Amino acid sequence: MRYGSSSGGQARAACGAALALTLALVRAAHSGVIPLPAEVVPGSGAFGIDPKTTLRVPEGDRDAGNAARYLAELWKRTNGLTLPISVVPLAAIDTASTHSIAFRHRSGFGREAYELEVTPQRVTVSASSAAGLFYGAVTLWQLLPPGGNTGRIPTQTIRDAPAYAWRGLMLDSSRHFQSPAFIRSTIDWMAWHKLNVLHWHLTDDQGWRLEIRKFPRLTSVGAWRVEPSGARYGGFYSQEEVRDIVRFAATRHVQIIPEIEMPGHATAAIAAYPALGAATPTAGASTPVVSASWGVLTHLFNLDPQTFRFLEDVLAEVIELFPSPTIHIGGDEAVKDEWNASPEVRTRARQLGIQDPEALQAYFTQTIAGFLEAHGRRIIGWDEILRPGLQKDAIVMSWHGVSGSHTAAVAGNDTVLAPWPTLYFDNRQSSLPTEPPGRLKVVSLEDVYRFDPRDATLSDRQRHHVLGIEAAIWTEHMQTEERVQWMALPRAAALAEVGWSNAAGRRWPDFLERLAPMFARYRAFGLDFADSVFAPAAGISRTAEGFTVRLSNQAPSDAAGNGGIRYTLDGREPSSEATRYETPFSVPVGTEIHAAAFIESAQVSRIRVLRLDAQAARRRDNHELEPCSDGIGLLLEAPGAGGPIAVDIMNPCWIDRGVDLSAGPRLVAAVAPLPFNYEIGADAAKIRVGDARTTEGELEVHIDGCDTPALAALPLAGADAKSVTILPERQLPRIQGRHDLCLRFARPRLDPQWMLDWIEIGE
């Protein structure tokens, strides 16, 4: 729905719009409204809220009643505020006494649009749809700062509608399984951010998570794998659990779109029913098992009619469980090796008159799309499905950057932007040691917030095909639900604002200020969110008297209300009144620094403690070392290590810059093994192995380059095969000046891969 004046006064309108935007940002900052509303018209005065405030809904208006109950539930959790709900005749809804909040239907709004009118006497939430009333309630909840059961909301009129219809998150439950309770919690906080699509990744090589009653082995076999440790891991969602989750999502106006991967990422299904596979059986070959490896496996479904009947039977049950008009069929990373090698697939291809393996996948996609179309559903798939012959009603999800979305829109297909790396939330959010395992690339909160979905090269007609945006939470390295929340929040809040709010109104510093009250709401609901954008990073350098300390974070210092990083040196926890960090400072050996970031008086980061003792002068933890390369950079968890270890699995090698070798210092290193359980195809042959001089290999030390002769070698013989080992120390030669040290592993074989946890260099 479009709002605005109907005639004249363009200059006055522009000035008024700018003033309204400024006041909107000021008000939103104090209460934490995310995403920012489309239009705010300020008023005079405020509406007071206390336990005597009444929520009013018209008789027989179920949507209004649901929105009012949800608002009451939210305020009870974040403010300890319990409000009564009064059901009144429709004629009385606009004539209520003061001190009330009314919900009502009104014509003229878009599907998710709403109006929120706040006067000193009353508040009215109006919309034409259940979703609009619901989102009006969410915004009203955020207008009251969290914490107390009384407060004042400034008078204003908010007219709001989303910029994009599709505002989604993809949750990977295949690689690591999350409980039904966690799925419901995720749906709930999605709704607070006006995110409306949960793309649920339910099947992959590492697990089949959805009960299909016609094929019970999909879960009795396909839902379980044996980890490298020997432990059995898995789980699945029963159909009754799925129905319950779908019903819950409907109350939060979140549509669940299931993903059933095909033709690739099919190992779990083939492990359950081997006849589905395309690999040609060979003498002595074992049946595929559910994979405990990460990467791209080559197992594909075959093209037999029986396999298509199997997939159609599976999809028939999926359709019964999920009312969404679209079904995601994957389609990504389908390596054609098995199809190329299979006589049966080649015969089938000749029968179909198809010679190109890529055209075979197009045939596969078209066949499944035809089945779904006959049952009233549309397909959506990753951008690999975008090939000649793709049905015009198919939706293309662009993950190879944004080019797939552009191509799809030009071709006349609807499309959703989900580009790697910016909207891939398995990338870490900072280089701090507090980040959980994931991909080594940093995709910060600011990177997500500054993503621009607009494509200026599209025509108006083509632009209409861009439905919206989606971020992906791939869970290969997220073993716990707490880590999933950390990687998702608050980046999902940034995603929500990009998808909902007008680009002209978004301001990065203002968004950070609005995060402070949102963080308080996260805490009230027990969510384990990341503070990476505010968390203090420390640069430590040794001086003759002690240390020089530099503190920083990702937040701009000129953000309104930014209280900056505050620190103490006396062991006390910092407050907003503690010393503000301005410039590097010096401290003696033995100092303990406590630091945290603040916005006004609100603490927005966890407290970081830095203990600058004699060991700190010698030790470099893994995160302080620099990977030599970034072929496939990962942040991995090693048993017994001090934290996740950053490594390029193509080249386990690290650099320590500017080491003083003048005194011939000693070197101590802590190392840990991890299984090499990665499916990287031909790239595995590029990894340097076979250069070890001892049976188990050694940690080599090179100076000023990794290709120079080794200064020293620390043998791995006797190192613990399951945990961290401190290798016997080595004396380094005396070399004048400061030099870069390259530390890399020479090893006889690919598995295990050795990690460097920390090193100590000193007297």
Side-chain angles (χ1 to χ4, degrees):
M1 182 175 181
R2 184 176 180 179
Y3 299 98
S5 59
S6 58
S7 62
Q10 291 185 352
R12 292 193 304 274
C15 181
L19 176 61
L21 174 60
T22 300
L23 291 173
L25 295 178
V26 170
R27 288 195 170 106
H30 287 286
S31 58
V33 176
I34 296 174
L36 192 69
E39 180 185 354
V40 179
V41 179
S44 178
F47 175 80
I49 294 180
D50 59 39
K52 296 180 181 179
T53 305
T54 301
L55 303 177
R56 295 165 60 88
V57 299
E59 291 177 338
D61 194 331
R62 183 177 62 178
D63 297 339
N66 290 340
R69 282 188 290 273
Y70 190 57
L71 174 62
E73 176 187 330
L74 292 172
W75 269 338
K76 185 175 182 179
R77 289 290 299 271
T78 59
N79 294 76
L81 179 62
T82 301
L83 299 183
I85 298 176
S86 177
V87 179
V88 302
L90 178 60
I93 201 72
D94 291 326
T95 59
S97 59
T98 61
H99 215 59
S100 67
I101 298 171
F103 290 82
R104 55 158 299 168
H105 274 92
R106 207 175 77 205
S107 61
F109 293 90
R111 187 170 64 89
E112 296 178 298
Y114 66 91
E115 181 181 84
L116 177 57
E117 186 178 9
V118 182
T119 71
Q121 294 76 35
R122 64 200 304 267
V123 176
T124 304
V125 180
S126 304
S128 301
S129 67
L133 290 170
F134 181 87
Y135 290 140
V138 169
T139 297
L140 182 55
W141 167 57
Q142 294 179 352
L143 284 172
L144 181 66
N149 68 349
T150 62
R152 293 168 63 81
I153 297 177
T155 60
Q156 59 196 292
T157 299
I158 294 176
R159 301 183 181 97
D160 200 9
Y164 291 95
W166 186 300
R167 306 175 305 280
L169 283 179
M170 191 287 300
L171 177 62
D172 173 13
S173 295
S174 177
R175 273 54 177 268
H176 280 97
F177 177 78
Q178 303 93 31
S179 68
F182 178 83
I183 304 300
R184 286 192 293 272
S185 172
T186 299
I187 291 167
D188 209 16
W189 62 251
M190 285 178 64
W192 310 341
H193 298 87
K194 303 184 177 75
L195 295 169
N196 65 351
V197 176
L198 175 62
H199 167 188
W200 201 3
H201 189 81
L202 290 165
T203 73
D204 214 297
D205 298 305
Q206 292 79 18
W208 184 287
R209 304 290 174 221
L210 178 64
E211 178 189 18
I212 300 297
R213 290 175 176 166
K214 189 168 185 177
F215 304 107
R217 286 177 59 85
L218 285 173
T219 46
S220 66
V221 174
W224 306 91
R225 65 177 182 253
V226 177
E227 298 283 57
S229 65
R232 186 171 184 257
Y233 177 89
F236 65 91
Y237 305 98
S238 71
Q239 293 201 0
E240 189 51 45
E241 287 172 329
V242 169
R243 289 189 178 94
D244 179 68
I245 290 169
V246 169
R247 284 192 295 266
F248 178 80
T251 69
R252 301 301 189 255
H253 300 279
V254 172
Q255 180 183 106
I256 300 181
I257 295 177
E259 180 177 0
I260 308 298
E261 274 275 8
M262 59 186 81
H265 290 284
T267 304
I270 295 170
Y273 295 97
L276 301 172
T280 302
T282 58
S286 59
T287 301
V289 297
V290 181
S291 179
S293 296
W294 312 118
V296 180
L297 281 77
T298 59
H299 296 304
L300 301 184
F301 289 120
N302 61 45
L303 299 176
D304 294 347
Q306 298 92 323
T307 298
F308 281 109
R309 281 196 293 272
F310 165 87
L311 292 171
E312 290 170 357
D313 288 342
V314 167
L315 291 172
E317 293 195 33
V318 170
I319 289 170
E320 288 297 318
L321 291 170
F322 296 94
S324 61
T326 56
I327 304 292
H328 205 298
I329 64 165
D332 61 312
E333 298 176 326
V335 179
K336 307 304 188 299
D337 293 356
E338 289 187 349
W339 282 0
N340 292 334
S342 168
E344 292 81 8
V345 171
R346 292 200 299 270
T347 298
R348 182 65 176 147
R350 285 194 298 271
Q351 292 170 350
L352 297 169
I354 299 174
Q355 297 180 351
D356 178 9
E358 300 303 325
L360 270 183
Q361 182 171 349
Y363 163 76
F364 195 107
T365 301
Q366 292 160 14
T367 301
I368 296 299
F371 172 81
L372 290 174
E373 183 180 10
H375 290 76
R377 305 299 178 93
R378 301 172 68 185
I379 67 162
I380 180 170
W382 302 107
D383 50 29
E384 285 95 331
I385 73 168
L386 187 56
R387 301 196 180 280
L390 182 65
Q391 284 86 340
K392 288 299 182 183
D393 70 341
I395 303 172
V396 176
M397 185 164 280
S398 181
W399 75 276
H400 287 96
V402 299
S403 59
S405 181
H406 176 89
T407 303
V410 171
N413 286 90
D414 287 345
T415 182
V416 176
L417 287 158
W420 184 92
T422 308
L423 298 188
Y424 268 50
F425 287 178
D426 54 341
N427 290 296
R428 59 180 178 162
Q429 298 170 75
S430 74
S431 56
L432 291 168
T434 50
E435 295 295 337
R439 296 191 180 276
L440 200 54
K441 185 176 181 61
V442 172
V443 173
S444 69
L445 182 67
E446 183 175 3
D447 291 332
V448 177
Y449 191 79
R450 295 193 183 279
F451 174 70
D452 189 354
R454 296 172 298 175
D455 185 344
T457 65
L458 295 176
S459 67
D460 289 341
R461 178 183 60 81
Q462 293 165 343
R463 198 172 294 117
H464 178 74
H465 287 294
V466 181
L467 303 180
I469 61 175
E470 180 175 296
I473 309 174
W474 297 107
T475 64
E476 286 98 329
H477 308 291
M478 301 180 205
Q479 296 181 13
T480 67
E481 295 173 349
E482 291 77 15
R483 289 177 179 175
V484 174
Q485 287 180 345
W486 176 284
M487 298 297 265
L489 294 170
R491 287 189 291 192
L495 176 84
E497 190 144 311
V498 172
W500 181 281
S501 305
N502 295 328
R506 297 200 304 269
R507 300 289 186 275
W508 167 241
D510 161 69
F511 174 76
L512 290 182
E513 190 172 0
R514 285 181 281 126
L515 273 183
M518 186 59 81
F519 279 7
R521 296 183 179 106
Y522 292 164
R523 285 191 291 269
F525 279 83
L527 301 180
D528 191 21
F529 60 94
D531 62 349
S532 309
V533 65
F534 298 115
I540 310 294
S541 56
R542 184 69 194 264
T543 66
E545 295 77 22
F547 299 90
T548 297
V549 180
R550 297 169 177 80
L551 300 177
S552 63
N553 63 12
Q554 296 175 353
S557 59
D558 59 348
N562 187 354
I565 298 172
R566 306 281 175 161
Y567 69 93
T568 63
L569 303 177
D570 57 6
R572 291 184 298 173
E573 293 189 353
S575 70
S576 59
E577 303 301 318
T579 302
R580 176 174 175 144
Y581 175 79
E582 301 287 355
T583 59
F585 58 92
S586 297
V587 294
V589 174
T591 300
E592 186 170 282
I593 302 172
H594 292 234
F598 291 81
I599 288 184
E600 296 183 346
S601 61
Q603 182 179 322
V604 290
S605 79
R606 296 164 179 84
I607 296 172
R608 184 168 186 192
V609 179
L610 302 169
R611 295 181 177 87
L612 303 183
D613 53 18
Q615 186 183 70
R618 300 189 303 268
R619 179 169 292 193
R620 300 289 184 272
D621 290 331
N622 174 273
H623 69 273
E624 297 175 283
L625 303 174
E626 179 183 328
C628 299
S629 54
D630 187 20
I632 302 178
L634 297 175
L635 197 63
L636 300 177
E637 188 171 37
I645 294 178
V647 61
D648 176 4
I649 65 171
M650 296 292 295
N651 181 25
C653 170
W654 296 262
I655 295 175
D656 190 10
R657 301 285 185 187
V659 179
D660 185 0
L661 299 178
S662 301
R666 68 181 179 89
L667 168 68
V668 179
V671 300
L674 281 176
F676 190 89
N677 57 331
Y678 303 99
E679 298 289 341
I680 57 176
D683 284 343
K686 301 175 184 177
I687 300 176
R688 181 175 51 85
V689 294
D691 56 343
R693 287 167 287 177
T694 59
T695 303
E696 299 301 325
E698 49 275 335
L699 174 64
E700 295 180 340
V701 184
H702 302 257
I703 182 173
D704 296 331
C706 295
D707 296 325
T708 60
L711 283 180
L714 288 68
L716 299 173
D720 193 322
K722 296 183 178 180
S723 188
V724 170
T725 297
I726 300 176
L727 300 178
E729 69 179 60
R730 283 290 186 273
Q731 194 80 22
L732 299 180
R734 293 174 181 266
I735 303 175
Q736 289 301 312
R738 294 187 175 273
H739 301 269
D740 295 342
L741 294 187
C742 169
L743 302 109
R744 72 180 186 187
F745 288 101
R747 49 186 173 158
R749 64 193 72 88
L750 197 58
D751 188 30
Q753 57 180 343
W754 286 92
M755 307 281 116
L756 187 58
D757 187 16
W758 53 260
I759 60 171
E760 287 185 7
I761 299 178
E763 298 178 2

